[in-house]
Amino acid sequence: MKETIIDAEYTIIPPGRSREEVRRKRRRQRWEADVKFLTMQGALVAAVAVVTALLLRAA
């Protein structure tokens, strides 16, 4: 029976996968999540800027 290994960072390493392979995948997932978050933040800032400009122009 193969054992599931949990490393010092509490990452589950499935049987047949290397610790470095799992770390690379997790790092890529975090990076993709950060990019999505920053994209949404940028869109929010742009929307607020547009609304502010329209309100100032109307005033």
Side-chain angles (χ1 to χ4, degrees):
M1 181 175 141
K2 293 185 176 182
E3 295 179 12
T4 299
I5 300 171
I6 301 177
D7 69 0
E9 297 173 354
Y10 301 104
T11 301
I12 297 173
I13 312 295
R17 304 266 310 271
S18 72
R19 183 174 281 131
E20 190 57 37
E21 180 183 1
V22 172
R23 284 183 182 158
R24 276 195 306 265
K25 183 178 179 182
R26 297 276 188 261
R27 194 176 309 131
R28 189 178 329 113
Q29 288 172 341
R30 282 193 303 266
W31 185 83
E32 288 173 357
D34 288 346
V35 168
K36 286 180 186 177
F37 174 75
L38 292 174
T39 301
M40 291 302 295
Q41 289 291 90
L44 179 63
V45 168
V48 169
V50 168
V51 169
T52 303
L54 290 174
L55 289 174
L56 289 175
R57 190 171 186 176

